Amino acid sequence: MLQLLWTVPALPAAGFVVLALLNRRLSRRAAALIGAGFVGLSAVVAMLIAVSFIASPPPGHAYHQVLWTWFDTGGLRPQIAFYLDAMSVIFILVITVVGFLIHLYSTEFMERDEGFTRFFMYMNLFVASMLVLVLADNLLLLYLGWEGVGLCSYLLIAFWQKDVKNVYAGRKAFIITRVGDTALIVGLFLLFTQLHTLEIQPLMAGAAKNWATGSGVAVAAAALLLGGAVGKSAQLPLQTWLPDAMAGPTPVSALIHAATMVTAGVYLIARTNVLFTLAPDVRLAVAIIGTVTLLYACFSALAQHDIKRVLAYSTMSQIGYMFLALGVAGWSAAIFHFMTHAFFKALLFLAAGVVIEALGGEHDIFKMGGLRRKLPVAFWAFIIGAASLSALPLITDGFYSKDLIIETSLGAVDGNAWLWLGALAGSLLTSIYAFRLVFVVFFGDQQTPVTLRPRWRMQLPLVVLSVLSVVGGLVWLPGWMGGFHPLETFLDTALPVTQTVASSFAYTGVSALLTSLVAVVGVALATVWLVESRAALKDFAARPTPHALQEFWLHGWGFDWLYEHVFVIPVKWFARVSRNDLVEPAVSGIAWLNVQAWRALSASQNGLLRVYIGVAGVGLAIIVAFVVLR
Amino acid sequence: MAAVSLDHGLILAAILFVIGFVGLLTRRNLIVVLACIEIMLNAAGLAFVVAGARWGRADGQVMFLFVLAMAAAEVAVGLALAIRFRHSLGRLDVDDADEMKG
Amino acid sequence: MTTLFYIAAAVAVLATVLVITRSNLVHALLYLVVSLFAVAVVFYTLGAPFVAALEVIVYAGAIMMLFVFAVMLLNVRADSPLRVPPSAWIGPLVLVAVLLAELIYGIGLSNHALHSGEVGPQQVSEALFGPYVLGVELASMLLLAALIGARHIAAQPEAPPFEDPQFSGEEPDARVHEGGEA
């Protein structure tokens, strides 16, 4: 069964090829069947592989499948080869299963769109690239997948390309992640020149053997890889692209910018955890970046009024939690949160998509309202998603994973009270903004009429994801609940075990209590402010200081303005100024010379017979001279 | 009779040819241009005859005959063209036919 | 004989120069006739009486007559207003001087004597109907082609054919159109 590993990325890739070649000739039905079908098949294979892997694990708890050698030059010999361990199993399951549900949803969501086939083509390419990314056994192949998902992200953000704003958003995403990608490739160069291989397992072993903890080269390599991760996962300072990426269709936001691509950075850091362990300062930086980003994003989410932008900042914030976990060496905890986050974030986005479509394309939450009776499935899905996001105790999967992270942020060897406080504060803010969204969209007076209702292909994924968002956390129960944690045992075969200084029953119990308290308090506050006394809140927000603060958070704390003024404007000025620099005359001089030569030659074609004969005569004189003077 | 010098005969042919060439390059009247061509052909024929007389063979004269036939054919067609030229362009200026410029 | 050669040569050269310099078209053509006569004399001094006769009959006779007829048909004004400015002569004269210098240099100025005695019509005919008979045939075909070509090229678009009242009801295809190409 494990030999079928290669079909997991190959099936969506084949789907891409088929859709690309037959683009115009396919009916909607066929395109949908191919697009969603290939991903579905891949999901089935992934599940079978997972079952096989868990039931009878291969030796060393890792399966390595080599397909062929990519190239062999200068000592670099990357292969097209896949490496499957516990972490990869989790990732491919999430990518294919959630991916399939989103594809199914898209067959209805995009049904009236003229770019239907193109959409599935790009989506399939994306799923294939993401799978290559997580299954790659060497960093170069991983980078191939990395670039592939970046490309698809750009293509899909700018999917409705007739509106130039979408294109700008896609371009922005691509350029900002490009900054990170450059750091990543430099990191790859560094690793190769120092350790002479890019295969991940030998690389990690080589680093552990040859590099001292805290040595310059380890710090440099880890920092560069972190740069790449930060770009792709939209953490500070490369986070400005994610809110604008919401210009793409909602399924794209769900799949790429919530469940999968943005978690590529998390995967990268977890995969190369040895490097980060060898560079504790960089790891601390990871944790700090995570914490700061999560707080930044929570405040920003509070002020947004586009439903998808709230969810975008929410994603940024939750990935901050994952980074925080990675930073305190809570590797498995980060992966656990990745899994639960994929479930509830995709759920939230898909439900948001239902609302947007139902209201005829309305994104502004303040033009929504009172939808809980009109769109019941979306309402319940949203409630479950928001509850999971807020980590409401016991009944949601977000609780288990977020609690684990919060507990680790203080309890791990590298834990830190500040990180812990940040995580808790973030959790409070998360539940506030999550339920702000719920109350504004689904309660209150209805502002916009419902014109379209979802049918089974949009409702079924919502139901499935809702169920997963509730029970998904039960694979890793905290100590005080009985210690049923098969997921942890499973992931411990692939990732280092987190060293903790505080993990007693009492500690975890109190931590859970605090997390729950914070979550519930957040919901309560949201209820008070947004359900009971909405008018009072409005008045408060209208006052100068709160209003200024709200504007500030609304625009992402002014990062766009900052980058615009520090980078974009100077570069554009420089480009304009250097239009007539030294090299310019040399280049356009060639063109000018050509034109002059043309003019001269043209002038010689004056149509006069006598002139032509004269020229022939000159030629005759020259030839005769040659003959006579030889 | 003392024979004529070969080189002088060829030089005469060269001079006549060159005179015809000058006229071709300078004059604008189409009929005069055709006449200059005739001059040049005549000079070439003279060169042939001189060469034939060098060895006392008839070949030179035979070539002159062919040149003559060719000249006659060419004049016939050339004058017919001159008539059409005059008909379409109004006058016999060679410089009027410059549409292949540029 | 040699003196006759030089005299005739001088006349030919002078007449040719006058051909290219006259502005009166008919004068130029007449000078050309003179030049051709002079060249015929040159041929005779070279011991080629046959081509001397041919020169006079065909060249000075037929071809120049064609020219004169063409001039007559074209109604060209004798004093053509197309004057060539003196400055236009400079370039061609330079070129031609160079060419002439090269040719004279190549020919050399020795006094290599020619074969004395003449090559009469008998020998020429034997050559023509011997080894050169193919050329003769080709020349005749060339003249035929020139004849037909000249007729067609020179033909003006004709006036519409004569309408015979007796045949007014017939289709146009039945009538034969002669020439009349544009």
Side-chain angles (χ1 to χ4, degrees), chain B:
Chain B
M1 42 196 171
V4 178
S5 159
L6 164 71
D7 295 334
H8 292 180
L10 287 177
I11 288 173
L12 171 65
I15 292 173
L16 286 177
F17 180 87
V18 152
I19 293 173
F21 195 50
V22 163
L24 186 59
L25 287 177
T26 313
R27 295 300 297 266
R28 283 161 68 181
N29 191 316
L30 185 56
I31 305 290
V32 176
V33 164
L34 287 170
C36 291
I37 294 175
E38 292 312 306
I39 296 172
M40 291 197 284
L41 282 169
N42 188 36
L46 172 61
F48 269 116
V49 171
V50 167
R54 159 78 179 83
W55 279 284
R57 293 176 52 107
D59 300 70
Q61 300 187 33
V62 167
M63 273 316 299
F64 179 80
L65 189 77
F66 292 144
V67 169
L68 199 56
M70 189 270 287
E74 175 243 324
V75 163
V77 175
L79 287 172
L81 281 172
I83 292 176
R84 296 313 297 258
F85 189 99
R86 162 66 182 261
H87 186 68
S88 63
L89 284 165
R91 59 180 190 171
L92 284 169
D93 188 350
V94 161
D95 282 352
D96 279 350
D98 63 354
E99 271 183 49
M100 287 198 42
K101 63 169 172 263

Side-chain angles (χ1 to χ4, degrees), chain A residues 43-64:
Chain A
V44 167
V45 174
M47 287 193 275
L48 289 172
I49 288 180
V51 165
S52 166
F53 191 92
I54 296 173
S56 51
H61 290 279
Y63 174 69
H64 193 218

Side-chain angles (χ1 to χ4, degrees), chain A residues 483-528:
Chain A
F484 173 71
H485 50 173
L487 183 64
E488 181 179 13
T489 336
F490 184 57
L491 284 174
D492 281 342
T493 64
L495 293 167
V497 177
T498 315
Q499 311 290 325
T500 52
V501 290
S503 58
S504 63
F505 182 88
Y507 170 70
T508 54
V510 169
S511 172
L513 209 60
L514 270 173
T515 314
S516 319
L517 194 65
V518 155
V520 170
V521 165
V523 176
L525 282 174
T527 320
V528 161

Side-chain angles (χ1 to χ4, degrees), chain A residues 190-191 207 211-224 274-280 282:
Chain A
L190 179 64
L191 285 169
W211 291 355
T213 311
S215 62
V217 62
V219 168
L224 287 167
V274 169
L275 286 176
F276 287 87
T277 316
L278 286 172
V282 180

Side-chain angles (χ1 to χ4, degrees), chain A residues 15 37 70 95 121 134 171 236 272 274 305 373 390 501 531:
Chain A
W70 190 352
I95 295 169
M121 181 171 99
V134 301
R171 184 181 70 177
L236 280 162
T272 56
V274 169
H305 35 81
R373 297 222 173 30
S390 318
V501 290
V531 176

Side-chain angles (χ1 to χ4, degrees), chain A residues 222-516:
Chain A
L224 287 167
L225 291 182
L226 175 62
V230 161
K232 207 58 126 194
S233 296
Q235 300 293 291
L236 280 162
L238 295 174
Q239 87 290 4
T240 49
W241 65 272
L242 190 58
D244 287 352
M246 298 298 115
T250 308
V252 169
S253 309
L255 183 59
I256 299 186
H257 304 125
T260 42
M261 185 185 93
V262 291
T263 55
V266 176
Y267 174 79
L268 179 68
I269 297 180
R271 205 21 118 205
T272 56
N273 58 75
V274 169
L275 286 176
F276 287 87
T277 316
L278 286 172
D281 292 331
V282 180
R283 214 180 61 207
L284 180 62
V286 174
I288 294 177
I289 288 177
T291 315
V292 175
T293 307
L294 78 88
L295 286 171
Y296 157 86
C298 285
F299 281 110
S300 302
L302 274 176
Q304 303 297 321
H305 35 81
D306 181 325
I307 186 173
K308 283 176 68 175
R309 284 179 87 100
V310 177
L311 295 176
Y313 279 109
S314 168
T315 305
M316 204 189 287
S317 159
Q318 296 304 306
I319 296 180
Y321 272 99
M322 293 180 222
F323 267 57
L324 167 57
L326 292 170
V328 296
W331 316 104
S332 307
I335 305 302
F336 184 32
H337 196 59
F338 152 74
M339 188 178 87
T340 59
H341 173 260
F343 295 150
F344 64 70
K345 195 44 67 64
L347 175 65
L348 281 169
F349 266 108
L350 294 185
V354 169
V355 169
I356 293 172
E357 281 294 289
L359 298 183
E362 181 60 64
H363 282 232
D364 189 338
I365 55 177
F366 293 110
K367 297 210 177 72
M368 304 177 184
L371 293 173
R372 71 176 186 279
R373 297 222 173 30
K374 298 287 171 61
L375 296 170
V377 176
F379 171 61
W380 285 108
F382 216 93
I383 290 261
I384 294 175
S388 199
L389 173 60
S390 318
L392 285 186
L394 298 178
I395 50 167
T396 63
D397 68 350
F399 168 72
Y400 296 102
S401 60
K402 194 185 279 194
D403 175 49
L404 184 60
I405 293 182
I406 294 179
E407 165 190 312
T408 317
S409 67
L410 189 59
V413 169
D414 300 307
N416 187 315
W418 291 107
L419 299 173
W420 176 78
L421 272 173
L424 265 185
S427 189
L428 176 66
L429 292 168
T430 304
S431 40
I432 296 180
Y433 74 67
F435 277 87
R436 163 181 179 259
L437 205 53
V438 169
F439 293 138
V440 172
V441 172
F442 290 98
F443 288 74
D445 304 318
Q446 184 169 2
Q447 316 268 350
T448 315
V450 171
T451 49
L452 201 68
R453 276 174 205 283
R455 301 191 305 284
W456 74 269
R457 277 177 283 160
M458 279 166 82
Q459 292 177 338
L460 180 62
L462 288 180
V463 170
V464 172
L465 285 170
S466 305
V467 169
L468 284 171
S469 298
V470 172
V471 308
L474 297 175
V475 288
W476 189 339
L477 298 177
W480 57 270
M481 274 184 75
F484 173 71
H485 50 173
L487 183 64
E488 181 179 13
T489 336
F490 184 57
L491 284 174
D492 281 342
T493 64
L495 293 167
V497 177
T498 315
Q499 311 290 325
T500 52
V501 290
S503 58
S504 63
F505 182 88
Y507 170 70
T508 54
V510 169
S511 172
L513 209 60
L514 270 173
T515 314
S516 319

